[in-house]
Amino acid sequence: MQMLQTREQEPGPVMSAAERELQDFSYIVAHDLATEFRHVAAFARLLIDEADAEAVRAHADIIWQSSTKCQRMLSALMDYSAVQSHKLTPRHWPARSVVERAIAELTAQGVGKGAQFEIDVSGQVFADARLLIMAMRLALLNALAAAPDGMSPRIVLRGATGADGAWIVDIADNGEGLAREYWEKAFAMFWRLDPDAPGIGAGLPTLRRIVRRHGGEARFLEAGGGAILQITLPGAEAGQ
Amino acid sequence: MSTAWPARAPSNDEILHLLVIDDSALELELTTTTIAAGLPHAGIEALRDPEAALDAVRSGAFDCVFIDYNMPQLDGIELGRRIRAEFTHLPLVLMTAVGYDTLVAEAIRSGFTDYIPKDKISPTSARRTINRAVQVATQARLIEEQRQELEHFAYALAHDFKQPIRQIRVFADLLNTELGAQASEDATKHLAFLSEASRRLATLVDVMSQYTLLNKPPELGVLDLNEAVRSVRQNLEGFIVERRATLLADANVSVLGNEALLTQVLQNLVVNGLRYNRDERPHVSIRTELSGEGRRRVIVTDNGIGIESRYHEQIFQPLMRLHNVSEFPGTGLGLTITRKAVLAQGGRIWCRSEPGEGSSFIVELDAAPGAAPARAHNT
């Protein structure tokens, strides 16, 4: 079957050259954009400090906000992309320790102070620890942000291994819930229900991408009160 | 494009779902029995009517499809072509009575993953062929996914940043009027830096948009080169006057290309020639010649600063800036995009230059209608 060999060789180099080109291009542009955003933000900051007129300060502040937001978007986009190129090294981990580690990382960053976590998580996950902790952190950040103004966040996590060996966790928040029409949209990059809310809308798409790289899925479920985000990871055999 | 086969590569342990299409009942029985002996756990569907094959493929999630070549109603290669048009990565294997070389070449061109002569079908060879076909297709699908991924990335860069960058520019302009003459020297200087950075941001995002547009195969047609030059002259009128530059063209020929892309290519080359130029009267000329193979060469020559020969290939790489940005501002992406636009039209581009002697960029495209117009679509 020498024909098959030529088939294998033919598309390979051509595609990878095109890939490399686009990859170089995207990353270089991303890097250049990052540099310019940094410059704009820095000079806007200087102008805010230097200007006497209130209007100038206000407008320089808008520029500063826009450019720092762009910096965050750009770095989120790089993270999102890195999920795909990250080499997976899946191992068995106690699911509860992944959740606890994610909460500990958030706490260390000063996020989620005053939040209540109810953790009822058992079973083992077969996953790349770094990515899964990142996914869990993003899920928790999403749930924390859902709490209505003036109320402290309350998050309930229930996770266990199902009959088919898949591990499933439901993450419920005490927010106002998410209308069914947004269940899919919420996973689109930079999509936000409320454009004025803090955040840039990169967390859920990155989370889903991590979960999907493990052969799993992330979705919203019907909930009585707040939203329920469900993450499913296949068992060790199916996930490889 | 949706493909009705599983997202993961089936491993040996997994149950394979196969479809075998052959109009002869006897041959069909023989083939399916042999394959079943090689892959006892595979689910095998047998189909005699090639006209019904496409529907069958659409409704079942097959891992591999075997197609007989010799079917009077619809020959196997044509059937393979139709299936391939809808299912980019589905493994297709052609079964031939006699393995003619010409037939095999045509099969591969039509999108078959592999072929197997009927007299060589044994349980072992069938299993090996299927496993290999599935592997090749999986590889191709992974590469395609990666390519799409990078395209999404480029798309997001080009689109999601447009609006905030516009906002930055609008407010920077506002600040320029608000800051006024009484502003401190520092504030004036910082605003100038800020405006400069925001201008570069806008250019970068524009360039990124142009680049992502080039990822779709363009429609090609016969173009009057003079028309393209006229567009370039119109688009660059202000730039040419401002630089006290001249643009001469002798372009009474037609080429095979895409109007928007060809204009972009010429425009980028003209801008390049006038920008990297210290002459008091920057000058660019466009002329044409025929290559030995009868392809049309469009030659854009400037009296600019020239390029050392060791950079002649590198200048087409992204962000390959040979010069200090402050002396010759530019994104460093112009020639990368130019080359991509030329390649997209089935052409090629290279440079002839020496420092101090100006540069010539040669764009080679197909000359006439009918001269392999399918070239650029087959990518």
Side-chain angles (χ1 to χ4, degrees), chain A residues 3-240:
Chain A
M3 186 49 66
L4 192 74
Q5 281 170 358
T6 55
R7 281 290 293 175
E8 278 171 347
Q9 284 157 8
E10 226 173 53
V14 178
M15 289 300 287
S16 57
E19 268 172 84
R20 210 174 314 115
E21 180 195 3
L22 187 60
Q23 190 152 26
D24 286 353
F25 194 85
S26 303
Y27 281 93
I28 290 168
V29 170
H31 173 265
D32 262 33
L33 277 173
T35 309
E36 302 299 356
F37 284 131
R38 195 158 43 78
H39 289 168
V40 169
F43 289 119
R45 189 76 255 170
L46 285 171
L47 280 170
I48 295 171
D49 297 341
E50 289 159 356
D52 304 319
E54 186 53 42
V56 172
R57 273 206 299 274
H59 290 156
D61 189 57
I62 292 175
I63 294 177
W64 183 78
Q65 307 263 5
S66 283
S67 49
T68 48
K69 185 184 149 195
C70 284
Q71 287 179 298
R72 288 200 304 278
M73 281 168 67
L74 200 55
S75 103
L77 204 53
M78 304 288 273
D79 285 349
Y80 180 77
S81 222
V83 167
Q84 208 65 13
S85 48
H86 177 78
K87 193 176 171 326
L88 287 188
T89 43
R91 292 212 180 87
H92 289 280
W93 302 96
R96 198 183 161 93
S97 73
V98 171
V99 172
E100 283 168 351
R101 177 72 187 274
I103 293 175
E105 284 186 11
L106 288 176
T107 312
Q109 290 168 5
V111 183
K113 274 190 198 128
Q116 278 182 55
F117 294 99
E118 189 185 320
I119 305 169
D120 176 13
V121 173
S122 63
Q124 292 239 321
V125 287
F126 183 72
D128 183 287
R130 208 189 107 201
L131 282 189
L132 191 62
I133 291 168
M134 182 175 169
M136 196 53 68
R137 210 173 55 216
L138 293 170
L140 293 171
L141 276 172
N142 181 68
L144 286 167
D149 288 344
M151 276 177 75
S152 48
R154 217 185 99 77
I155 299 171
V156 181
L157 294 110
R158 291 192 202 292
T161 306
D164 58 350
W167 182 77
I168 301 173
V169 64
D170 288 353
I171 301 144
D173 61 48
N174 63 336
E176 286 159 9
L178 188 66
R180 182 179 280 272
E181 57 182 306
Y182 301 128
W183 286 4
E184 258 316 293
K185 279 193 184 143
F187 291 102
M189 196 58 165
F190 299 139
W191 182 87
R192 285 173 322 142
L193 185 56
D194 174 8
D196 295 327
I200 51 172
L204 289 177
T206 308
L207 175 155
R208 175 181 264 182
R209 163 162 281 194
I210 292 172
V211 172
R212 284 190 171 171
R213 267 217 75 190
H214 286 82
E217 186 53 290
R219 62 172 85 83
F220 281 99
L221 294 185
E222 200 63 67
I228 296 181
L229 175 66
Q230 182 178 74
I231 296 173
T232 311
L233 290 174
E237 277 72 41
Q240 280 181 63

